[in-house]
Amino acid sequence: MHMKNLFSFLHFSLRKKNYFEIIKSFFWQSLGMSFLIAFLILFLNILYMVGNSVSGLMQDVKEKLGVHLYIKDSTEQKDVLYQRVMALKNDLEKAELKVDFSSKEDAFRFLQNKMPDIAANLKKYGIENPLPATLYVSFDNNQKYTLLKKIIENYKDVISNSNTVSRGYSFAQQETRVVWLLNISQFVMLFSYGLVAIVAITIALFLIFMVTMIYNYFHHTIEVQKLLGASYSQIKLPYIAYSLSLLLAAYLFYALIISFSISYINYYTLSLVGFDLIAYLGQYKTLIINISIIQIIVLALFTFSIANDQLTKKLKKA
C-alpha cells in the first residue's frame, strides 16, 4: 500500500515537474509561437468577417430583385380602382411576396427629393403629376416570379405594364445584371470560409508541432515515467496541458492586439469624422464574446484530439 502511494506521488511530482520544465526550457519558443498563433487567430477572424459580410451582401442583392407594377391612372371610379389595388396587394402578400405600395403623391415626393429640377420644371409648365401609383414586388427566385405573373393575370385591368411582366422580361433582365455579382460573392464567401478552416487547422498543427518537439526533447524523462509504471494518460497530461496553455496565451495576445488596434483606429475615426468605433462595436459585444468562446472551445478540442492521438502513437512506438 505504501509502495503504491509512493509511486502515485512520484507520478504526480513528475507530471508537475514536466509541465514547469517544459515552460522553463521552451519559454522563448513558446512566446514566439503564441504571438504567431495570435496573428493567425486575427487573420482567421478577419476572414470570417469578410465571409459573413459577403453572405449578407448576397442576401441584400437577392432581396433587391423585384418588379414595378404601374397602376393605371383613372379619374373615374377611384374607390373601385383602390379596392382592386389593395386586393392585388393582399393576394401577392398571401403568396409570400414582399410588396411596397407607393401612391402618386409618394412617387412625386420621391422625385422632388431625388431630382428637384425635374419636379420644379413640371410645376413651372403646369404639368400635373404624371407619375403613376406603384406596387414594387420583391422576389428572390424564378419560382416566386412565376407565381407573381400568375396572380397579375387576374388584375390586368388595373396594371398598365402587365404584358411586359407576363412575358418575363423583368426577371430575365434583372437576373442577368445580378447573376455575375452573386457568383463572385458566393466564390469570395466560400473562399473566405475555406481559408478560415485552413487557418484553424494551421493553428492546431503549430500547436502539435510544439508538443511533438517537446515530447522528443523530454524522451528520457518519459522513459523514466514508463519504468515507474505511469500510464499513457499520466505521461501525456503535461504535454496536452502545455498545448492548451499555449492556445490560451495566444488568445490573450490576440485580445491585446485587438484592443490596441481598436483604440488606435478609434482615436483617428473620432478626431477625423466623429465616429466612435468602440461605441459601435459595443452593440455587438455579446456576439463577439460568444464567437471567441466558441473558437477557443473548438480549437481546444481539436488540439486536444490531435495531440492526444499523436502522443499515443509515439508512446506505442517507443
Side-chain angles (χ1 to χ4, degrees):
M1 187 70 178
H2 291 294
M3 187 63 68
K4 184 178 179 181
N5 290 336
L6 177 61
F7 279 135
S8 297
F9 174 75
L10 286 172
H11 292 161
F12 173 77
S13 299
L14 280 170
R15 289 200 302 271
K16 185 177 177 183
K17 182 182 178 183
N18 280 358
Y19 178 77
F20 289 108
E21 193 67 31
I22 291 168
I23 300 296
K24 182 180 176 181
S25 302
F26 291 87
F27 177 77
W28 293 111
Q29 294 94 324
S30 301
L31 196 66
M33 185 62 72
S34 295
F35 269 115
L36 177 61
I37 293 172
F39 280 104
L40 284 173
I41 292 170
L42 177 64
F43 184 50
L44 181 148
N45 282 289
I46 290 171
L47 289 172
Y48 173 78
M49 287 188 289
V50 169
N52 202 42
S53 299
V54 171
S55 177
L57 173 64
M58 287 174 63
Q59 189 60 37
D60 288 343
V61 169
K62 283 184 177 181
E63 288 176 356
K64 284 179 172 58
L65 277 173
V67 62
H68 288 91
L69 303 179
Y70 300 119
I71 308 304
K72 291 180 179 179
D73 195 3
S74 174
T75 55
E76 300 178 359
Q77 296 181 323
K78 285 188 175 181
D79 291 340
V80 175
L81 178 65
Y82 179 77
Q83 288 174 3
R84 290 283 290 159
V85 171
M86 290 300 103
L88 169 60
K89 183 174 182 292
N90 290 335
D91 285 349
L92 292 169
E93 288 176 339
K94 286 178 183 177
E96 298 183 352
L97 292 161
K98 185 180 177 183
V99 186
D100 294 310
F101 173 72
S102 298
S103 65
K104 287 172 61 70
E105 292 74 20
D106 293 332
F108 193 75
R109 277 194 295 270
F110 181 81
L111 180 67
Q112 286 178 315
N113 292 331
K114 295 295 181 180
M115 292 177 280
D117 292 341
I118 294 176
N121 285 332
L122 291 174
K123 285 185 176 181
K124 179 180 177 181
Y125 294 106
I127 301 173
E128 293 186 6
N129 181 6
L131 301 175
T134 306
L135 286 174
Y136 183 73
V137 187
S138 304
F139 46 85
D140 56 12
N141 56 59
N142 203 24
Q143 287 73 26
K144 286 189 177 180
Y145 184 62
T146 302
L147 190 58
L148 162 65
K149 291 190 290 183
K150 184 178 178 181
I151 292 171
I152 65 172
E153 286 295 320
N154 300 320
Y155 293 92
K156 288 187 174 183
D157 57 316
V158 297
I159 302 171
S160 61
N161 62 327
S162 60
N163 289 333
T164 303
V165 176
S166 296
R167 286 195 295 269
Y169 293 158
S170 180
F171 183 80
Q173 291 167 353
Q174 293 188 71
E175 188 180 40
T176 301
R177 286 196 294 266
V178 302
V179 70
W180 182 83
L181 178 60
L182 288 175
N183 287 337
I184 291 296
S185 299
Q186 189 170 23
F187 170 77
V188 172
M189 182 186 71
L190 293 175
F191 183 71
S192 298
Y193 287 149
L195 285 179
V196 165
I198 291 170
V199 172
I201 292 170
T202 303
I203 291 170
L205 290 177
F206 273 132
L207 291 169
I208 301 310
F209 169 76
M210 284 295 293
V211 170
T212 304
M213 182 178 70
I214 292 166
Y215 173 90
N216 293 331
Y217 182 82
F218 287 98
H219 179 73
H220 295 298
T221 304
I222 291 168
E223 290 301 318
V224 172
Q225 286 178 297
K226 289 171 73 176
L227 288 172
L228 289 170
S231 66
Y232 284 175
S233 299
Q234 291 171 329
I235 295 172
K236 290 184 293 185
L237 183 60
Y239 303 96
I240 292 174
Y242 167 77
S243 65
L244 295 176
S245 300
L246 204 62
L247 182 63
L248 180 61
Y251 262 96
L252 290 174
F253 285 132
Y254 164 71
L256 289 173
I257 293 168
I258 284 292
S259 299
F260 175 78
S261 301
I262 291 174
S263 298
Y264 183 77
I265 295 170
N266 190 64
Y267 172 78
Y268 285 99
T269 56
L270 266 177
S271 58
L272 294 175
V273 295
F275 176 68
D276 192 340
L277 179 62
I278 293 176
Y280 174 77
L281 292 175
Q283 304 173 62
Y284 304 97
K285 181 173 66 177
T286 303
L287 177 63
I288 292 169
I289 291 172
N290 290 339
I291 289 173
S292 298
I293 291 172
I294 291 170
Q295 282 181 352
I296 292 172
I297 292 172
V298 170
L299 280 173
L301 289 174
F302 188 60
T303 301
F304 172 81
S305 176
I306 295 182
N308 184 59
D309 181 66
Q310 292 298 313
L311 289 168
T312 300
K313 287 179 180 178
K314 283 187 172 294
L315 285 169
K316 286 182 177 179
K317 285 181 180 179

